[in-house]
Amino acid sequence: MLTPELKSELTTILGAEYVCDDMESCISYSYDATPLYQAIPDGIVFPKNTEEIQRILRLAHQHHIPIIGRGSGTNLAADTVPTQGGIVMVMTRLNQIIEIDTDNLTITVQPGVLTQTIHNAVEAKQLFYPPDPSSMKISTIGGNIAEGSGGLRGLKYGTTRDYVLGLEAVLANGEVIRTGGKLYKDVAGYDLTRLLVGSEGTLAIITEATLKLIPLPETRRAMVAHYADLDTAARAVSAIISARIIPCTLEFMDQGTIQVVEDYAQIGLPRDMAAILLIEQDGPHLLVEQDITKLHQICLDSGATHIEVAQTSADGTQLMAARRNALSALARLRPTLILEDITVPRSQIAPMVRSITEISRRYDLTICTFGHAGDGNLHPTILTDARNSEEITRVEKALADMFATAIRLGGTITGEHGVGLAKAPFLEWKVGRTGIVALQGIKNALDPTGILNPGKIFTQVPTEQEGTKK
Amino acid sequence: MLTPELKSELTTILGAEYVCDDMESCISYSYDATPLYQAIPDGIVFPKNTEEIQRILRLAHQHHIPIIGRGSGTNLAADTVPTQGGIVMVMTRLNQIIEIDTDNLTITVQPGVLTQTIHNAVEAKQLFYPPDPSSMKISTIGGNIAEGSGGLRGLKYGTTRDYVLGLEAVLANGEVIRTGGKLYKDVAGYDLTRLLVGSEGTLAIITEATLKLIPLPETRRAMVAHYADLDTAARAVSAIISARIIPCTLEFMDQGTIQVVEDYAQIGLPRDMAAILLIEQDGPHLLVEQDITKLHQICLDSGATHIEVAQTSADGTQLMAARRNALSALARLRPTLILEDITVPRSQIAPMVRSITEISRRYDLTICTFGHAGDGNLHPTILTDARNSEEITRVEKALADMFATAIRLGGTITGEHGVGLAKAPFLEWKVGRTGIVALQGIKNALDPTGILNPGKIFTQVPTEQEGTKK
């Protein structure tokens, strides 16, 4: 509940309609897409413009009230769970596309615009915004920017980070900064744009973004290749890159995932196979044909037992839908699904997947693994039950072992989902003590009173790494 | 001169051979490629590894001695001029390519490796490191990273920033941080990698970098188009982008530059033309042919008076050499050449170039303009004489007017050269007071005693903006 004074001040700024602190609303904003995490906020606000956000932040800064920025709440690291109470600031009313600039190939948007809405708007003008997080139908661009979201096309096109040219943001003290612009080159000062991308709401509230667009590829074609064992599939990935082909997507699914997706979608996936690769190439017609022919040959040479090439771009979309449905399919099996997000150098995919299999046996857990083989970003997904505390203890041990293995293989604890609350205890494993001190210094410089999304990224109690490296 | 105690301590770390404070050496490291700036350091050190750099920084941190990291000194913002004395740390002995990883498409290098050496090494393996700053034959990769260097291929391929995947760096207190890795996706903590790229030696000393590579394009073709007036050339640039073609280079030269380059290189450039566009496309054979045909038609339709397409890739290299020679050609004309680096949104190139012409008349100066039309990054180049203080006063006014115009058009004061000493008084025009406070907060967090390249980026005396916006 908000204090009457605070509620009155917020109501003056926003109007009564856009300030809530009833229990139903507070419960609705007490969680996000991350299982196992929940905390009740004091209230929720729905600002409609930068000026309102400035006024709210000045108030919060003055009274040391936590502010948790939130779009659609699709994140998977408990980044929008108000773990220290405070006010959840929902950005969905800032939902305008401000401009599509076809001369400069940019789109300028408010943070509450849905990612899919951006795709549709620019594709109508034969332009392309490549980042495609799996949640893009419901995620907001502000959330994508705050999390540094990736997607299936990261290998060829990069991630959200690579498409943000400029930002307007409100700092903790209520002041507005503007970074970058419609500029492909700008080295005036440190790269604040990219510092804010992936800062998970802990450094500023993003209120506007200018994104880079590229020409829409003429066409796309997809194919699927079946593998009887994991190493053969991993060798195929290496062989594709060695042939100097960069597909727009190069996705991997293990046997567990194949079986579950096939149960759910019934699209003819091979239940008896150890792994499948879903490969898609886009670009000019001529080139896509050429690459698909080469990819077919490489998959054949690398020992695929079956290869199917989509005959049309629509068939391809259906094929790729298998991958995009993986999460929904897996979610049906058990009450709780924990979707992990480790990344390793591409050459380390086979050792990483083997290690995940070992870990699932060690802790007697069901772990299905799928992900972006092209960029080494794997999503081992643990099917469990939050109500079974004994099992959850095993899950936590398994996660720690996975993170330790990823780091030992030259990887990271999160490729595209963020650190949030869920991985804060493990951040030091990746960046080291010196890195934590540097990151905290930046946090303190920009948010000295610590009101922006407190408790996220950093933890008071880092998890000990000893004994977990296997 | 170094104090005897400091010299003795440095000699213990490095050996006598790699510590200098004789006047000849101090003068040699008192300037870089930027005219009008010079300052004598107390001494120069040549470390050979990270450990030596850590020991030097601990010493400097303890005694509050400025440390100025330096590669080849090709920068154009006086970034390596030791304006507050101290020790110039020359990185050229860290000159090893540590690994080219063809599975993960990365190269790991020490900072003293020349940019051209990286190009040659990876192209031998049919791989490609796209950033191509004009100084690449002599610049070091460490300098490129510190400055966030661009180049001719920025429009299609991005700049240095887009290719740095991981860094090892020594902080002001002597501690080592490692960021990123052989990872295309990594959102574990704020993006320290990109914070260090373009930080101009003010946040850390970079000791190792892992860079992203892509497949080497099969071929490249170049063409040149002549224009009798500026607007026609600018419209051609817009028409190319509207046709959804992104050439790998799209360079612009004004009449002044054309005449000077032709005097120097005698390659048949048209002295009577208002502007030329130098266009190059790379990629698969089929596609390059297709694009060059389309580009030819677009240039014709947009009113080019003459178009010449290079018949071979070697002819194209010669054509592009005209652009790469521009600076050397211009440098012959008068004692001092001031190469500016403003960037505007691509659609604002014609207004910007017109404004530069007006500014040159207003202050009775010779300004030749060339640059990267594709990404809006222009290099207006003032031919002057540093010994003529009256003329230099006019030059300074002209620069201030150019920066104000660029910002008014949505641009920036530096696209690829950096802020350094030269543009520190103007940084606030771009980022605002709130931006300066944020940047200084980050600087203070990472370098609390201010020993790393002091006096750079920030200034005690910002230039007043009033009266300069015309």
Side-chain angles (χ1 to χ4, degrees):
Chain A
M1 292 266 289
L2 299 165
T3 64
E5 298 75 23
L6 182 58
K7 189 165 181 179
S8 156
E9 294 200 70
L10 289 171
T11 303
T12 306
I13 297 170
L14 292 149
E17 197 182 342
Y18 299 114
V19 181
C20 307
D21 66 347
D22 59 296
M23 193 39 83
E24 289 74 9
S25 301
C26 285
I27 289 174
S28 299
Y29 290 95
S30 68
Y31 58 89
D32 57 22
T34 324
L36 311 186
Y37 294 90
Q38 185 171 24
I40 305 287
D42 296 317
I44 307 109
V45 295
F46 300 83
K48 74 162 187 291
N49 58 38
T50 303
E51 197 205 325
E52 287 183 359
I53 294 166
Q54 286 187 271
R55 292 174 68 192
I56 297 164
L57 280 167
R58 277 192 215 110
L59 200 61
H61 193 245
Q62 191 186 338
H63 299 294
H64 291 232
I65 300 161
I67 295 288
I68 300 92
R70 176 182 164 123
S72 300
T74 54
N75 94 83
L76 292 160
D79 234 321
T80 56
V81 174
T83 177
Q84 299 183 14
I87 300 169
V88 173
M89 187 187 281
V90 182
M91 305 297 283
T92 47
R93 289 177 71 211
L94 287 94
N95 60 359
Q96 298 302 304
I97 292 180
I98 295 167
E99 182 198 31
I100 298 178
D101 181 337
T102 54
D103 275 342
N104 293 306
L105 301 192
T106 59
I107 182 169
T108 301
V109 294
Q110 291 189 315
V113 176
L114 299 186
T115 316
Q116 183 73 60
T117 303
I118 294 176
H119 285 170
N120 296 348
V122 305
E123 287 174 23
K125 294 179 188 290
Q126 295 298 108
L127 292 170
F128 190 38
Y129 174 70
D132 61 341
S134 293
S135 57
M136 64 187 180
K137 284 185 191 168
I138 46 167
S139 69
T140 64
I141 189 69
N144 291 177
I145 294 169
E147 299 298 320
S149 300
L152 276 66
R153 300 192 277 241
L155 167 66
K156 181 169 178 178
Y157 290 109
T159 64
T160 304
R161 178 180 77 197
D162 301 303
Y163 292 86
V164 183
L165 294 176
L167 291 172
E168 178 192 86
V170 183
L171 297 177
N173 60 10
E175 293 195 37
V176 172
I177 53 167
R178 286 184 189 80
T179 74
K182 292 179 179 176
L183 300 168
Y184 285 26
K185 287 179 174 170
D186 178 19
V187 290
Y190 309 141
D191 193 345
L192 284 181
T193 307
R194 270 153 212 86
L195 184 63
L196 294 183
V197 175
S199 64
E200 306 188 21
T202 65
L203 298 181
I205 299 289
I206 292 159
T207 50
E208 191 182 298
T210 297
L211 308 172
K212 173 179 166 173
L213 304 174
I214 59 175
L216 186 65
E218 267 176 36
T219 191
R220 64 181 74 231
R221 283 285 287 289
M223 58 186 281
V224 59
H226 301 178
Y227 290 90
D229 68 280
L230 184 68
D231 283 300
T232 318
R235 273 201 302 274
V237 172
S238 288
I240 290 166
I241 305 300
S242 293
R244 306 288 181 258
I245 299 173
I246 308 290
C248 74
T249 58
L250 179 42
E251 294 291 305
F252 164 86
M253 272 190 199
D254 74 356
Q255 187 160 22
T257 313
I258 294 168
Q259 292 176 349
V260 172
V261 172
E262 182 56 20
D263 285 345
Y264 176 77
Q266 295 171 7
I267 48 179
L269 296 182
R271 303 170 146 284
D272 55 331
M273 285 290 128
I276 61 173
L277 294 179
L278 285 154
I279 311 171
E280 193 175 29
Q281 183 58 301
D282 65 4
H285 282 287
L286 283 170
L287 207 65
V288 169
E289 291 307 307
Q290 203 178 64
D291 278 358
I292 290 288
T293 306
K294 283 185 200 166
L295 287 164
H296 188 278
Q297 191 60 47
I298 291 168
C299 289
L300 210 60
D301 293 348
S302 66
T305 56
H306 175 74
I307 302 168
E308 186 186 335
V309 178
Q311 289 313 303
T312 66
S313 146
D315 288 354
T317 305
Q318 199 173 344
L319 215 53
M320 294 310 293
R323 164 61 186 84
R324 293 197 183 272
N325 284 330
L327 192 59
S328 315
L330 291 165
R332 301 187 326 152
L333 292 195
R334 294 206 56 203
T336 308
L337 173 150
I338 296 176
L339 179 69
E340 260 317 316
D341 178 42
I342 49 176
T343 301
V344 291
R346 182 171 42 232
S347 60
Q348 301 301 321
I349 289 171
M352 188 69 228
V353 174
R354 264 197 301 274
S355 171
I356 293 167
T357 307
E358 271 169 42
I359 290 167
S360 75
R361 289 198 194 115
R362 188 180 311 147
Y363 297 107
D364 189 22
L365 295 166
T366 306
I367 308 182
C368 295
T369 299
F370 60 95
H372 319 297
D375 53 31
N377 181 204
L378 295 172
H379 296 305
T381 301
I382 306 183
L383 307 181
T384 181
D385 185 342
R387 296 161 302 189
N388 180 341
S389 65
E390 182 277 326
E391 184 168 322
I392 293 296
T393 306
R394 283 184 279 124
V395 167
E396 284 165 357
K397 286 182 181 167
L399 291 176
D401 282 11
M402 273 196 248
F403 299 151
T405 306
I407 287 168
R408 186 168 47 77
L409 294 172
T412 185
I413 59 168
T414 173
E416 56 184 14
H417 293 173
V419 175
L421 203 56
K423 291 187 184 173
F426 302 98
L427 181 59
E428 191 170 328
W429 294 12
K430 171 64 176 78
V431 304
R433 187 87 284 259
T434 307
I436 292 282
V437 171
L439 295 176
Q440 278 178 326
I442 294 166
K443 165 71 177 177
N444 293 339
L446 295 186
D447 178 19
T449 53
I451 60 168
L452 291 174
N453 210 4
K456 308 306 160 54
I457 301 190
F458 306 110
T459 183
Q460 298 298 321
V461 196
T463 302
E464 292 285 332
Q465 198 165 358
E466 55 180 349
T468 54
K469 271 192 175 173
K470 298 282 149 102
Chain B
M1 291 267 289
L2 299 167
T3 63
E5 298 74 24
L6 181 59
K7 187 166 181 176
S8 155
E9 293 200 70
L10 290 170
T11 304
T12 304
I13 297 169
L14 293 149
E17 197 183 342
Y18 298 113
V19 181
C20 308
D21 67 347
D22 59 297
M23 193 38 83
E24 289 75 9
S25 300
C26 286
I27 289 175
S28 300
Y29 290 94
S30 66
Y31 60 88
D32 56 25
T34 324
L36 312 184
Y37 294 89
Q38 185 171 25
I40 304 289
D42 296 318
I44 307 108
V45 295
F46 301 84
K48 73 161 188 293
N49 58 38
T50 303
E51 196 206 324
E52 286 184 0
I53 294 167
Q54 286 187 271
R55 293 173 67 191
I56 295 164
L57 280 167
R58 278 192 216 112
L59 201 60
H61 193 246
Q62 191 186 338
H63 300 295
H64 291 233
I65 301 162
I67 295 287
I68 300 92
R70 178 184 164 122
S72 300
T74 55
N75 93 84
L76 291 159
D79 234 322
T80 55
V81 175
T83 178
Q84 299 184 14
I87 299 169
V88 173
M89 188 189 280
V90 182
M91 305 296 283
T92 47
R93 289 176 70 210
L94 285 95
N95 61 359
Q96 297 302 304
I97 293 179
I98 294 167
E99 181 198 32
I100 297 178
D101 180 338
T102 54
D103 275 340
N104 293 305
L105 301 192
T106 60
I107 182 169
T108 300
V109 294
Q110 291 188 314
V113 176
L114 300 185
T115 316
Q116 182 74 62
T117 302
I118 293 175
H119 285 171
N120 297 347
V122 305
E123 289 175 23
K125 293 179 189 292
Q126 294 300 107
L127 292 170
F128 190 37
Y129 174 70
D132 60 341
S134 294
S135 56
M136 66 189 178
K137 284 186 189 165
I138 46 167
S139 68
T140 64
I141 188 69
N144 292 177
I145 294 169
E147 300 297 322
S149 300
L152 277 64
R153 298 192 278 241
L155 167 66
K156 181 168 178 178
Y157 290 109
T159 64
T160 304
R161 179 181 74 197
D162 301 302
Y163 292 86
V164 183
L165 294 177
L167 291 172
E168 179 193 85
V170 183
L171 296 177
N173 61 10
E175 292 194 38
V176 172
I177 54 168
R178 287 186 188 77
T179 74
K182 292 178 179 177
L183 300 168
Y184 285 25
K185 286 178 174 171
D186 178 19
V187 291
Y190 309 141
D191 193 346
L192 284 181
T193 307
R194 269 151 213 89
L195 185 64
L196 294 183
V197 175
S199 65
E200 307 189 19
T202 66
L203 298 182
I205 299 290
I206 292 159
T207 49
E208 192 180 298
T210 296
L211 309 171
K212 173 179 165 173
L213 304 174
I214 59 175
L216 186 66
E218 265 177 39
T219 189
R220 62 181 75 231
R221 283 286 286 286
M223 57 185 282
V224 60
H226 300 178
Y227 289 91
D229 69 279
L230 185 65
D231 284 299
T232 319
R235 273 200 301 275
V237 171
S238 288
I240 290 166
I241 304 300
S242 292
R244 307 287 181 256
I245 299 174
I246 307 289
C248 74
T249 58
L250 180 42
E251 294 289 307
F252 165 86
M253 272 191 198
D254 75 355
Q255 187 160 24
T257 313
I258 294 168
Q259 291 176 349
V260 171
V261 172
E262 182 56 20
D263 285 345
Y264 175 77
Q266 296 173 4
I267 48 178
L269 296 182
R271 303 173 145 279
D272 55 332
M273 286 289 126
I276 61 173
L277 293 178
L278 285 154
I279 310 170
E280 193 174 29
Q281 184 56 303
D282 64 5
H285 281 286
L286 284 170
L287 206 66
V288 169
E289 290 307 308
Q290 202 177 63
D291 277 357
I292 289 287
T293 306
K294 285 185 199 166
L295 287 164
H296 189 277
Q297 192 60 46
I298 291 168
C299 289
L300 210 60
D301 294 347
S302 66
T305 57
H306 175 77
I307 302 167
E308 187 185 333
V309 177
Q311 290 312 306
T312 65
S313 147
D315 288 354
T317 304
Q318 198 170 346
L319 216 53
M320 294 310 294
R323 164 59 187 85
R324 292 198 183 271
N325 284 329
L327 192 60
S328 314
L330 290 164
R332 300 188 324 153
L333 291 195
R334 293 207 56 203
T336 309
L337 173 150
I338 296 177
L339 179 69
E340 260 318 315
D341 177 41
I342 50 177
T343 301
V344 291
R346 183 171 43 232
S347 60
Q348 302 300 323
I349 290 172
M352 187 70 228
V353 173
R354 265 198 300 275
S355 172
I356 294 167
T357 307
E358 271 169 43
I359 290 167
S360 76
R361 288 197 195 115
R362 187 180 311 147
Y363 297 106
D364 189 24
L365 295 167
T366 305
I367 309 183
C368 295
T369 301
F370 61 95
H372 318 297
D375 54 31
N377 182 205
L378 295 172
H379 297 306
T381 301
I382 306 183
L383 307 181
T384 184
D385 185 342
R387 295 162 302 187
N388 181 342
S389 65
E390 182 278 325
E391 184 169 322
I392 291 298
T393 305
R394 282 184 279 125
V395 166
E396 284 166 356
K397 287 181 179 166
L399 291 177
D401 282 11
M402 274 194 248
F403 298 151
T405 306
I407 287 168
R408 185 168 47 75
L409 295 172
T412 185
I413 59 169
T414 175
E416 57 183 13
H417 293 173
V419 176
L421 204 55
K423 290 186 185 172
F426 302 98
L427 181 58
E428 192 171 327
W429 295 12
K430 171 66 177 80
V431 302
R433 184 90 286 259
T434 307
I436 292 281
V437 170
L439 296 176
Q440 279 178 325
I442 293 166
K443 165 72 177 176
N444 293 339
L446 294 186
D447 178 19
T449 54
I451 60 167
L452 290 174
N453 211 5
K456 308 306 161 53
I457 302 191
F458 306 110
T459 182
Q460 297 298 321
V461 196
T463 302
E464 292 284 334
Q465 197 165 359
E466 54 182 348
T468 53
K469 271 194 177 172
K470 298 283 149 100

